[in-house]
């Protein structure tokens, strides 16, 4: 008989907190620019409408945003009248979130702290059943069954989790192949597949919705080397040749372009999950 443990085995990811913090600190300024990006604002509006349609945000309540980044969702939630607590592993992201709360006039309805979700004692913090919605968008913080269970314990209403089910990023895939990083090509699909079934077997009935997105990353050679060096170190690889392979591969790619910029077209399908904890 298939049980929770079998699905949990499909999902577990290695914790590399130091590497994650370094990568997201590096990307914080870029992510913060999304706060006023038109496409981002459209995605936020679409998600909030979807949550309301699932009876998740019918009246002002209290929201826990796990992996809040620079406040890309926390700030709009607060602008809609909700009280929001946001946590993130990146101190740079949290600094931007605090600045954005002040900038957008929601400082009194927000609280942002730098924390590692798996190491945070939610009982000691008084967060058990303290939130109308626990929210985790595209964050590695919810990386296994234990992290998911903690998320559920904090909610007295509903939970939202989003994750890629497929992702095509040619440069990252080329570098992984060169580094012989034999990451399962179905990893993203396995993750959301495991979460959905774990929830089902625990007696929850998640609603699921899929969103397709595409965008172009554009880097100078120096930016690309730093980006992919930090990005690939989040994965369980400690190849001593990593930096050299990345630099030589990207140098070759840059020389192929007249403007010497490196471009990556990213295509992803994201799953939105919402479930009521009661």
């Amino acid at each position: 008989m298939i049980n929770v443990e079998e699905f949990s085995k499909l999902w577990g990811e290695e914790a590399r907190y130091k590497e994650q913090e370094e990568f997201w600190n590096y990307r914080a300024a870029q992510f913060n620019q999304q706060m006023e990006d038109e496409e981002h604002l459209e995605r936020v509006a679409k998600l909030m409408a979807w949550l309301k349609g699932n009876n998740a945000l019918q009246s002002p309540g209290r929201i826990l945003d796990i992996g809040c980044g620079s406040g890309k969702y926390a700030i709009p939630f607060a602008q809609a009248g909700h009280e929001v607590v946001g946590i993130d592993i990146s101190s740079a992201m949290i600094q931007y979130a605090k600045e954005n709360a002040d900038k957008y006039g929601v400082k009194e309805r927000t609280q942002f702290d730098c924390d590692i979700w798996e190491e945070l004692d939610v009982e000691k913090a008084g967060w058990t059943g303290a939130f109308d919605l626990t929210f985790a968008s595209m964050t590695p913080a919810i990386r296994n069954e234990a992290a998911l269970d903690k998320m559920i314990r904090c909610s007295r209403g509903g939970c939202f989790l989003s994750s890629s089910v497929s992702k095509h990023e040619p440069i990252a895939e080329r570098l992984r192949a060169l580094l012989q990083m034999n990451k399962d090509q179905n990893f993203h699909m396995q993750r959301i597949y495991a979460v959905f079934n774990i929830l089902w077997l625990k007696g929850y009935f998640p609603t699921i919705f899929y969103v397709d997105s595409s965008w172009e990353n554009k880097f100078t050679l120096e930016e690309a080397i730093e980006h992919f060096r930090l990005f690939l170190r989040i994965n369980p690889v400690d190849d001593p040749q990593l930096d050299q392979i990345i630099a030589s591969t990207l140098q070759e790619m840059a020389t192929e372009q007249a403007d010497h910029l490196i471009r990556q077209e990213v295509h992803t399908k994201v799953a939105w999950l919402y479930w009521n904890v009661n």
Side-chain angles (χ1 to χ4, degrees):
M1 179 179 177
I2 298 178
N3 54 33
V4 169
E5 289 72 24
E6 292 300 314
F7 286 108
S8 190
K9 290 176 185 176
L10 293 175
W11 182 20
E13 304 164 39
E14 182 178 337
R16 292 171 74 89
Y17 299 135
K18 179 181 177 182
E19 291 83 358
Q20 287 175 1
E21 181 181 9
E22 188 177 7
F23 177 70
W24 292 113
N25 278 343
Y26 174 73
R27 296 208 64 191
Q30 179 187 3
F31 265 68
N32 189 54
Q33 293 175 0
Q34 296 179 2
M35 294 297 296
E36 297 182 356
D37 177 76
E38 186 174 331
E39 289 186 9
H40 164 66
L41 294 174
E42 289 177 358
R43 286 195 296 270
V44 171
K46 183 176 182 179
L47 175 56
M48 291 183 73
W50 186 79
L51 288 170
K52 288 179 181 179
N54 283 281
N55 299 314
L57 293 173
Q58 294 304 307
S59 61
R62 195 167 187 234
I63 299 173
L64 173 62
D65 187 350
I66 304 164
C68 65
S70 60
K72 60 187 292 185
Y73 291 108
I75 299 301
F77 284 148
Q79 288 176 318
H82 302 286
E83 179 186 344
V84 185
V85 175
I87 65 167
D88 200 282
I89 195 172
S90 164
S91 57
M93 288 286 198
I94 290 297
Q95 183 58 42
Y96 277 119
K98 291 178 178 178
E99 292 173 2
N100 286 328
D102 191 37
K103 176 180 177 180
Y104 293 101
V106 293
K107 187 175 181 179
E108 293 182 356
R109 289 197 297 276
T110 57
Q111 174 188 330
F112 295 106
D113 295 297
C114 188
D115 279 303
I116 296 173
W117 175 244
E118 285 187 277
E119 296 184 358
L120 196 153
D121 187 334
V122 296
E123 284 75 21
K124 185 177 180 180
W127 287 1
T128 304
F131 297 92
D132 299 289
L133 174 69
T134 52
F135 180 91
S137 174
M138 305 298 292
T139 174
I142 312 300
R143 69 176 189 88
N144 54 32
E145 183 191 350
L148 180 68
D149 285 342
K150 184 188 289 190
M151 177 182 178
I152 294 170
R153 290 202 306 276
C154 290
S155 180
R156 61 190 174 212
C159 297
F160 171 85
L161 174 68
S162 67
S163 178
S164 297
V165 296
S166 66
K167 194 169 189 179
H168 177 54
E169 37 191 357
I171 297 177
E173 290 161 14
R174 178 177 174 180
L175 291 170
R176 285 194 186 106
L178 290 170
L179 290 161
Q180 298 183 339
M181 297 172 64
N182 298 317
K183 193 171 185 179
D184 194 323
Q185 293 300 307
N186 295 318
F187 170 76
H188 292 294
M189 181 65 78
Q190 287 181 357
R191 183 182 191 185
I192 208 70
Y193 172 72
V195 172
F196 186 94
N197 283 281
I198 288 170
L199 290 171
W200 183 273
L201 290 169
K202 288 177 180 284
Y204 304 108
F205 302 99
T207 298
I208 190 166
F209 182 75
Y210 298 99
V211 180
D212 292 300
S213 297
S214 298
W215 64 89
E216 182 185 64
N217 295 136
K218 188 185 296 183
F219 309 96
T220 65
L221 176 59
E222 293 74 17
E223 289 170 343
I225 290 172
E226 186 67 359
H227 172 90
F228 288 103
R229 182 186 72 81
L230 295 173
F231 174 70
L232 291 173
R233 287 199 182 280
I234 292 177
N235 298 272
V237 58
D238 295 296
D239 190 324
Q241 300 299 311
L242 184 144
D243 290 356
Q244 180 181 337
I245 290 172
I246 290 173
S248 60
T249 303
L250 295 176
Q251 175 71 59
E252 180 183 344
M253 294 178 67
T255 58
E256 294 171 355
Q257 304 298 320
D259 58 7
H260 300 293
L261 294 178
I262 295 171
R263 295 172 175 81
Q264 175 175 243
E265 288 281 349
V266 180
H267 303 279
T268 181
K269 183 181 287 292
V270 174
W272 293 350
L273 289 180
Y274 174 78
W275 65 100
N276 194 294
V277 303
N278 299 308

